[in-house]
Each structure stands twice: as C-alpha cells, then as structure tokens.
Amino acid sequence: MLGTYFYHEILRKTIIAFGTLFNDVHIKHDDRSGGTISETKVPLIYGPKQKFLAKLEQQEELTKATAITLPRMSFEMTSMNYDSSRKASVTRTFKAIDSRDPSNTKAKKVYLPVPYNVGFELNVMTKLNDDALQIVEQILPFFQPAFNVTIDLVESIGEKRDIPIVLENISFSDEYEGDFSTRRVLMYTFNFNAKTYLFGPVADSTEGLIKKVQVDYYADTNVQQAKREMRYTVTPDPITAGPEDDFGFSETTTMFGDSKKYSPTRQEDV
Amino acid sequence: MPLNPFFQHGSPDEQRLVQQLVDEQIKMFGLDCYYIPRKQIVTDDILGEVQSSKFNDNYIIEAYLNNYEGYAKGSDVMTKFGINLQNEITLTISRERFEDFIAPFQFNSTNLQGALDGDIDFGTRPKEGDLIWFPLGERLFEIKHVEHESPFFQLGKNYTYELECELYQLQDDIIDTNVAGIDERLSEEGYITTVNLAGIGSTAKASVDTFALNGALQKITLNDDGSGYTSAPLVSVSPSPAGVSTSLGAVVAITTTKGTLSSVDYVAITNPGFAYVEPPTIGFGTPGVGAAATSTLTNSGIASIRITQPGSNYVSPPIISIQHPQYVDKQYEFTGIATAGMMEIVGINTMANIAIGHTINFKSLGAVTLSGGGIVTSIGSSSIGIGTSIGGTGTVNTTFIGTGAMVGAKAGQIQATAVATLSGSSMFRIYLTDAGAGYEATPSISISAPLSVGLGTYHINERVVGSNSGTEAYVKKWDAANRKLEISINTGDFWPGEYITGTASSARYQVFSWGDDLSSQAAGSEFFMNDEFESAGDELLDFTETNPFGII
C-alpha cells in the first residue's frame, strides 16, 4: 500500500543546510598590543560516524603525537516531531512543472507535505573559555530566535521552502572543579529545531500546464436556452513562457451575435 | 613530649645517600625524556586563562615510567568531535637532577611580538602545563599534576617528583624545540594550511588577427549600470545591414558586486561585426533591470585577437597592452622616381595614408639599387616630396618600390584596449573593451608576465610574512619539489600573487593559490567537514544573501 519508492533526501538536505550555517566561524587570539597572534577557522563535523571509519581516517597511524586539537564544533540530528501547528489538509494536492523537463510542459502532482520539526544539537568544545565566548557571540545574534534558510527540498518540482531554524536553548558545562587527575572540559550545547516539510511521492499529472483561460458571458441565467454573447480569454504573453519565466498576459474580449454556444467536449462553438 | 634525641630521622649524609640511590635507580631503569617548559605569552586575567604559549626550549632528563604496563584500557574514545586520545602516563624524576640541571636555566626566554616583560613564570620545580616528550611512541604529554611528597618524607626529605601527565591538546601554541625528531613529528599536528607557491611559468602571447573592418563596433559605453544583475545578462546587438552572421556584432556583459548590490561593470566586444551604417542598439536581458548602453563605430579598429600561447602561472588575468596606432609601423609600398637631391615619388594611390612627417625607407626592387630614406616634407596632388636629410641614393629617374614607417600621432587615432580572462592559471579569452581607431597596420600586443619562481628554503617553525597582506604564520613543512608550504598559526589569509618571505631563512616565493584553511585538501581534513557542507549546501540552498556567518 505504501510501497511507492521515492526519496527526496529532505532530511539529508536539512542536515546539510544546518551544517552550512556554522561552517565559517572563526576565532582570534590577540597579543597585548592589539596584533593578531592567530586566526582559526573552527572545524565543524557531523558527529555520528561509523566507528571503524572514524578510526581508520582519524587514527591511521595509531600513535598520534597529541590528543584532539581544539576548538571544534560538532552537530547531530537528535529528534523528529510532527508539528501540528503547521498541519495542512491531507487531501489537497498541488501541481508543479517538472523542473528537469526542458520543454517546460510536463506537470507533476504531489500531496501537500507533512510538517516536521527536526531537532539538532550543536556542540562546541574549546580549550579556553574565551574561545567559546567568541564562537557563541558569533552565532546568537542571527537567531531571533529563528534564522530562515531556503532549501530546494524537492528538486524535481523545484520546490523551494523557507525552513526556519529555531534556537531553542543553550547550555554549557565547564568542568574545572575536582582533583588534578581530570582535565578541564569546556563544552557549549545549542539545541535547534528545523521546521521542515516532508513530501510524498511526486506523480506525473495527466493535466498539462494551463495556458489559456476562457470565460463566456450569457445575457440570461438560463444557460440551456441562452447563447453566449461575449467571450473573455487570457493567455500568457509570450505564449511559450514557462512558469519560472517573466511573462505578462494577453487579454481578448470578443462579442458574438451568432447564437452559438461553446462545447467543451468538441472545443468549438456549435 | 619531645622526640628522643638519641635517634636521628635522617642525617644530611643519609639523605644524600638516598638521593644518590634514587638517581642511580632512575638512570638504570628510566627513559630519557625531553622536558619542555611553557612560556606564557598572553594571559587573560579576567577569565584566568593562558591564551597563547610558546614552547621553544628543551631539557633532556631521565625519568622512571610508573605505569610500565602501558596506558589504561579505553584511552581511545570516540566523541562527538572525532576520536579523542586520553592516554596518561606517570613519570618519576629526581628532584635533585631537576633542580640542578633544569631549574637554573629557566630564567630567560624569547617573547613573541607584543608580549610584555613579566609574562614568564619562573620556578624551581616542574610545573603543571609544561610538556614532556615521551620517546616511546613519540608522544607529547602535558603535566597536569606534580606530586612532590611521594614517597612521603623518607628520612625527613623528599627525593623525587611524580609527574602525572596526559596527552597534550594542541591549539595554536608555538612548539619549536629545535630537536629535529620532535619538531618533525609535530609538523603533522594542529590546524595546517597549505599554500601553493609559484613555479616556473610562461608568458601568454597573442596577436591581432584582423583589423580595419568598415562599420565595426569600436566601443560600448555604459550609460546606466542597472541593478540586480547577480549573473551576467545576455546582451543583444541589433543586426548589421550586411545580413550575414559574421557581420552581427557580439558583446558580453561583465558584472560586478558590492555588498548585496550587483550591476553591470562594463560591456566588452567579442565580435565587432562590420558594415554597420548607424551604431547598433544594445539591449540587456535578465536577471537585472535598468542597464542601458550605446555603441560607437570605427572603420580602422581591431577586429579580432588570436591567443597564440595561453601561458601559465597566472593568478589574476594578465594586463593586455595593444600598441597605440601612432607607434604602429605601416609598411607602404609605392613606386617613385628618384631625382637628384630630392626623391620625388609618384603613384600616390598606393600611399593613401601617408602624411607629412612620416619616414620613408627605401628598399631595392629587382635591379634597382636603393638605400636610406627620408622624411615626407610635402604632399603634392600627384607626388610626394621626400627630404634627403636622412639620405637616400638611387638611380635617377628610375621607378622603384619603397617602404615607409609612420611616425607621430594623427587626428582620430584611439588606442585599443582589451581585458583577458583566465581558465585555471592560463589565459582563456581576450575581450576588446575598445577596438580603437586609426590603425593602418597590425599593432603588436604585449601581455604582462605571470608569477615567477622564487628562491630559498624555508625552515621548519620559522615565521613567514606576506608582503601585501601582512599575514604571518609558522612553517610546518616545506615541499620544495612541489612548492607547497604547510603553515599553521596564521594571523589571516595570504593573497595570491604576494610574496611570502621567511624571517629566518629569507626564502621568498610568490603565492600561487591559497587554500581555505579547512579545505578538504588540508592536512587533518578527516577531522572536519566545513568545505563539504559548503559545496553540498551550494547545490540546494538558495542563498540570495551570502552565508551570514562568514560576513562581517
């Protein structure tokens, strides 16, 4: 029943979009005369990994001369919750043009998406408190409390949606107490919610792109007897324009005195 | 109750004996380690942190390894941030040996730029925060605790320091011990950036293919640069009356961006067309609006330029210089009659563009012997008189052919200008920004030279400085064969084209390309994914605004 294969990679795209936000954070160390001692771009990683792969990649030589190099940032997806506040009708569909069709004529049909909140946890680990404060200050002002990114969620229909990424809360731990056998660990944790949408399968629509609208006017409400007397038609200008193009409209109004009616089945006046 | 005075809890001689026994034991069963003291460069007194340190001394000392059975199990931990090694060791060193051979030398240091006197802490004991180079496995440990009372006052005195150490967490501290084995091993650690330096390049070459087409585009003058041109718009040129495809002028718009505003910078000519009677109209396509331009025609401009050699090693498009028409030699061919004292030349049809002041050089034709030349002094209706001040000999009343060189500017001459684009590090295309006017012969084109190879050998851990950016960094590794310089602790970005000079070695090379410090090609890239997110995000994110976290 649910066996139609589709995979829009929406959750993967949401992970990438989230990661892109934090991949260019820098910290600086200054000397006392105001000069810069170092400027470091803070490394970012998606935390979960296959353990063996991490071992092979990161500890290839087995005897690494030092421990982990700091500062670092890491994030991971932590939860997925249905968001009833953004619920839309379950039976409504919408159509879009197949963005991969060069002729711009093939229509696609898809049901309205299901709104989901995807939880993310961003962790910042630093050696110095000042480094952490620099990173935190570069992140917080952009979330009031949300920051919108526009993601091309379903490429086949060119469906771009604004996904608000909401900063829910921040916590940090600074384990500086205790005996001297343990190292101080400084870690800041940000919790975010990305308000994304999950789309179902995209089907080919038998209906094409509407390129002409025609309205007939009658002089009487009894359309069985009355004949159309005026016709208003609208077409895009130019007629070859696609949905993404910049186009106008051609409007035509025609008066009739020939006592005919339009037959939708024959698509002509009879 | 007082102690029994007949028993002594350790005389100085006994204490001395014990100390020597301890020292001897450590020398027999210990390891030679390097003790590397920390020099505090910058401290934050409010947050209570040492923000920058330098480790540039080393003292060899024997130490007994307490945990001779190895590191504790489970020292390699998978964390959110990658694999974190938490290996720990405990070393015992002789108190007397440390106080005699290391402590006295901890009185002087070289401060980093900007550090003030008094930054350095002195001490007569091993200090927490100092480093130990552990030869087994070649690892760097940081002392986290010094136990000075174990064993507890044997014969009334303590003889050893017990150093509890854990693997060092590297950041941007400078470690330059002058011990080759240590420095080379650590050259692979930390955040490292690779700078590609220029090698031997070749200068691009180009020549004018055709010129002086009638009714060709000379220049497109931008009257309104418009707005919203986030990508180059298509630019249309109205057709030429000649009606053939090659007669249609073709131009290309080059856009510019400042902040979030994008507009047309200039319009360059890719094909000037020909046979236009009136300057063609120029139209701009999407994505922006408002751009407008007018065109100018020429009958004696450059029509096309051929790249004969694309060159290599360019980091920015080379500067194209096209000869001004006044300096272009025009080779005239004419027939003339030489008369005594005055070379009089007839047949002006072949010399339509000659002017007073032009130099004429004679050349021989067949059996006629001619040499020298002269300057045009007057132009008659059917002949041109040439002064003989330069000389010129020939057979009187003999028809001959001569050549001429144009000297001096004439009215209406405009120098052509062009810009180049790059593909990789080679020249890709040349666009005319002004086809010029008044060209009577093919001008030559000169192209600026690319980066040249530098000289010298960078030293490990020396400080290097960028000539234009002023950026400083420390050398981690120098690959002379491939001209790759690995650096760390840099104060900013290096700029392509600038010189990087070693402050100790004086090695000097030009920067060819500068990778982002966390690019996927950088050393240690298995620990970060910044570039991967950026490139994957470019495909699916609609960042009409740039990434806000990278912009100030």
Side-chain angles (χ1 to χ4, degrees):
Chain A
M1 185 179 72
L2 299 177
T4 307
Y5 176 78
F6 65 95
Y7 181 41
H8 303 309
E9 298 187 346
I10 289 173
L11 294 171
R12 188 171 184 275
K13 288 174 182 174
T14 310
I15 290 172
I16 292 170
F18 185 85
T20 309
L21 288 182
F22 305 103
N23 73 345
D24 204 14
V25 178
H26 289 70
I27 62 162
K28 269 188 182 182
H29 286 166
D30 293 337
D31 60 29
R32 290 182 181 176
S33 61
T36 303
I37 288 179
S38 71
E39 181 180 342
T40 308
K41 188 174 186 175
V42 183
L44 176 71
I45 197 167
Y46 185 66
K49 274 196 183 309
Q50 276 188 306
K51 276 191 163 181
F52 81 90
L53 190 62
K55 186 84 174 165
L56 292 179
E57 286 181 350
Q58 300 173 10
Q59 210 189 351
E60 192 182 1
E61 293 179 22
L62 292 176
T63 54
K64 201 169 178 302
T66 57
I68 198 165
T69 306
L70 296 178
R72 284 182 190 279
M73 291 200 295
S74 149
F75 74 97
E76 59 186 276
M77 190 169 71
T78 52
S79 66
M80 275 186 279
N81 293 302
Y82 178 71
D83 185 357
S84 58
S85 67
R86 291 183 284 140
K87 175 183 169 65
S89 168
V90 295
T91 55
R92 277 182 58 195
T93 61
F94 71 93
K95 297 189 184 68
I97 288 295
D98 186 347
S99 61
R100 289 179 291 206
D101 171 33
S103 68
N104 256 345
T105 54
K106 288 184 184 167
K108 294 278 187 182
K109 187 172 75 173
V110 62
Y111 282 96
L112 284 182
V114 187
Y116 263 83
N117 290 344
V118 180
F120 283 99
E121 185 180 285
L122 175 72
N123 294 286
V124 178
M125 186 179 179
T126 61
K127 198 170 172 179
L128 305 174
N129 200 2
D130 189 58
D131 294 347
L133 298 182
Q134 288 187 42
I135 295 169
V136 169
E137 273 202 38
Q138 288 177 71
I139 292 175
L140 296 193
F142 292 98
F143 292 90
Q144 300 189 350
F147 182 85
N148 282 342
V149 289
T150 308
I151 307 178
D152 192 355
L153 286 180
V154 186
E155 192 189 357
S156 63
I157 56 171
E159 182 66 16
K160 292 181 180 175
R161 293 255 176 166
D162 279 356
I163 308 297
I165 294 174
V166 185
L167 177 57
E168 302 286 354
N169 60 64
I170 307 159
S171 59
F172 67 92
S173 66
D174 185 354
E175 296 170 9
Y176 65 93
E177 294 173 294
D179 63 25
F180 285 89
S181 64
T182 55
R183 200 197 301 254
R184 178 192 188 186
V185 177
L186 257 169
M187 192 164 336
Y188 279 68
T189 303
F190 300 73
N191 286 298
F192 294 90
N193 244 334
K195 294 179 176 294
T196 193
Y197 298 90
L198 296 175
F199 284 77
V202 176
D204 290 331
S205 172
T206 53
E207 300 151 16
L209 187 66
I210 296 172
K211 289 211 165 181
K212 183 179 179 184
V213 175
Q214 174 179 314
V215 180
D216 284 356
Y217 293 89
Y218 292 78
D220 196 310
T221 52
N222 182 2
V223 293
Q224 298 298 324
Q225 301 297 324
K227 304 298 182 186
R228 53 104 178 90
E229 299 196 11
M230 190 174 83
R231 175 170 293 161
Y232 171 73
T233 55
V234 182
T235 56
D237 179 21
I239 192 71
T240 54
E244 303 297 327
D245 297 336
D246 185 12
F247 62 90
F249 294 99
S250 293
E251 297 175 88
T252 314
T253 306
T254 315
M255 305 297 290
F256 297 102
D258 55 4
S259 299
K260 286 186 177 179
K261 282 175 66 176
Y262 182 74
S263 166
T265 51
R266 296 169 64 174
Q267 297 198 357
E268 62 180 10
D269 292 334
V270 291
Chain B
M1 182 174 178
L3 291 172
N4 187 336
F6 297 102
F7 290 89
Q8 193 174 30
H9 299 280
S11 68
D13 288 342
E14 288 170 330
Q15 291 170 345
R16 180 82 196 136
L17 175 64
V18 173
Q19 179 75 62
Q20 287 180 341
L21 288 171
V22 166
D23 292 358
E24 191 176 347
Q25 286 289 308
I26 294 175
K27 282 176 188 287
M28 283 193 293
F29 301 110
L31 299 158
D32 274 341
C33 299
Y34 283 95
Y35 183 87
I36 306 168
R38 176 191 292 264
K39 293 172 181 173
Q40 300 175 15
I41 303 302
V42 179
T43 55
D44 186 328
D45 298 334
I46 302 297
L47 297 177
E49 295 173 335
V50 178
Q51 293 198 336
S52 185
S53 304
K54 187 172 186 178
F55 301 91
N56 63 344
D57 280 337
N58 72 83
Y59 304 95
I60 197 162
I61 187 168
E62 65 281 1
Y64 179 76
L65 179 65
N66 291 23
N67 53 325
Y68 52 84
E69 288 187 330
Y71 304 117
K73 282 198 179 303
S75 296
D76 300 357
V77 182
M78 177 80 179
T79 71
K80 298 172 188 299
F81 305 94
I83 291 179
N84 190 12
L85 307 181
Q86 298 178 336
N87 301 117
E88 296 182 351
I89 55 172
T90 305
L91 299 170
T92 299
I93 61 171
S94 159
R95 176 185 284 249
E96 185 184 75
R97 288 276 296 158
F98 184 88
E99 289 172 356
D100 287 351
F101 294 102
I102 296 180
F105 295 101
Q106 293 192 58
F107 61 90
N108 198 6
S109 68
T110 305
N111 287 1
L112 268 189
Q113 180 189 0
L116 302 176
D117 290 342
D119 282 338
I120 314 302
D121 289 336
F122 307 114
T124 56
R125 68 170 183 88
K127 297 189 297 293
E128 289 80 1
D130 290 351
L131 303 183
I132 299 284
W133 179 257
F134 185 57
L136 302 180
E138 297 185 321
R139 292 179 140 184
L140 191 65
F141 285 87
E142 180 179 0
I143 301 171
K144 60 181 178 181
H145 180 55
V146 178
E147 176 55 61
H148 64 290
E149 293 177 332
S150 175
F152 191 71
F153 289 98
Q154 305 295 303
L155 296 176
K157 193 181 175 188
N158 295 314
Y159 307 97
T160 60
Y161 289 118
E162 203 172 87
L163 311 179
E164 291 177 29
C165 309
E166 64 182 352
L167 218 50
Y168 182 55
Q169 278 184 342
L170 196 60
Q171 190 166 359
D172 59 355
D173 300 323
I174 300 160
I175 304 177
D176 181 14
T177 62
N178 279 323
V179 178
I182 299 175
D183 290 345
E184 281 175 20
R185 184 78 168 88
L186 293 176
S187 68
E188 300 163 5
E189 305 293 340
Y191 295 140
I192 298 169
T193 307
T194 303
V195 186
N196 294 311
L197 301 176
I200 300 168
S202 63
T203 304
K205 290 179 182 169
S207 62
V208 171
D209 221 14
T210 50
F211 74 102
L213 294 174
N214 277 327
L217 285 172
Q218 182 210 329
K219 190 178 181 183
I220 310 296
T221 306
L222 201 61
N223 301 318
D224 189 333
D225 60 354
S227 62
Y229 291 99
T230 50
S231 60
L234 287 176
V235 187
S236 62
V237 182
S238 60
S240 160
V244 295
S245 59
T246 51
S247 68
L248 173 63
V251 297
V252 60
I254 311 296
T255 56
T256 182
T257 300
K258 191 163 191 177
T260 57
L261 302 175
S262 301
S263 62
V264 176
D265 193 12
Y266 61 90
V267 179
I269 300 167
T270 54
N271 175 22
F274 60 87
Y276 282 100
V277 180
E278 295 290 332
T281 54
I282 309 294
F284 289 87
T286 52
V289 292
T294 53
S295 61
T296 316
L297 295 182
T298 179
N299 297 326
S300 50
I302 309 296
S304 68
I305 296 174
R306 181 193 300 272
I307 296 173
T308 53
Q309 190 173 306
S312 63
N313 251 19
Y314 286 99
V315 293
S316 58
I319 297 166
I320 310 292
S321 302
I322 303 172
Q323 211 174 9
H324 192 285
Q326 80 175 81
Y327 300 114
V328 181
D329 284 348
K330 164 128 171 96
Q331 299 296 312
Y332 299 112
E333 286 206 353
F334 52 86
T335 55
I337 301 168
T339 56
M342 174 72 79
M343 295 294 182
E344 188 183 25
I345 302 163
V346 296
I348 58 170
N349 287 341
T350 59
M351 306 171 59
N353 290 314
I354 201 160
I356 293 171
H358 288 189
T359 303
I360 301 292
N361 295 307
F362 301 134
K363 71 174 184 182
S364 300
L365 177 69
V368 179
T369 304
L370 286 169
S371 63
I375 297 171
V376 178
T377 54
S378 63
I379 302 174
S381 59
S382 62
S383 63
I384 299 169
I386 300 172
T388 55
S389 57
I390 293 178
T393 58
T395 308
V396 174
N397 293 327
T398 304
T399 300
F400 61 88
I401 291 180
T403 60
M406 198 170 73
V407 176
K410 288 199 289 188
Q413 287 183 326
I414 299 169
Q415 185 175 17
T417 56
V419 293
T421 60
L422 289 183
S423 172
S425 63
S426 299
M427 195 162 69
F428 179 55
R429 247 176 212 157
I430 294 179
Y431 295 133
L432 282 166
T433 47
D434 190 333
Y439 282 97
E440 299 171 6
T442 309
S444 63
I445 295 177
S446 58
I447 299 171
S448 61
L451 301 183
S452 57
V453 67
L455 286 172
T457 302
Y458 294 104
H459 299 168
I460 290 181
N461 283 327
E462 78 165 322
R463 194 161 53 90
V464 290
V465 182
S467 59
N468 297 333
S469 63
T471 299
E472 298 179 6
Y474 287 83
V475 173
K476 281 281 191 180
K477 198 181 281 182
W478 166 233
D479 178 356
N482 299 307
R483 290 175 301 282
K484 286 184 188 299
L485 184 67
E486 291 187 0
I487 52 172
S488 187
I489 321 176
N490 35 304
T491 61
D493 294 349
F494 288 99
W495 300 346
E498 73 170 335
Y499 286 94
I500 289 188
T501 306
T503 52
S505 67
S506 298
R508 190 167 182 262
Y509 288 79
Q510 274 183 292
V511 178
F512 180 69
S513 64
W514 151 263
D516 192 302
D517 46 354
L518 292 184
S519 68
S520 51
Q521 282 79 40
S525 62
E526 60 273 14
F527 282 97
F528 43 78
M529 301 162 64
N530 298 52
D531 261 23
E532 283 86 342
F533 283 120
E534 186 69 41
S535 54
D538 286 344
E539 293 175 9
L540 58 97
L541 288 182
D542 185 5
F543 261 127
T544 47
E545 297 172 14
T546 51
N547 189 341
F549 295 99
I551 303 293
I552 293 175

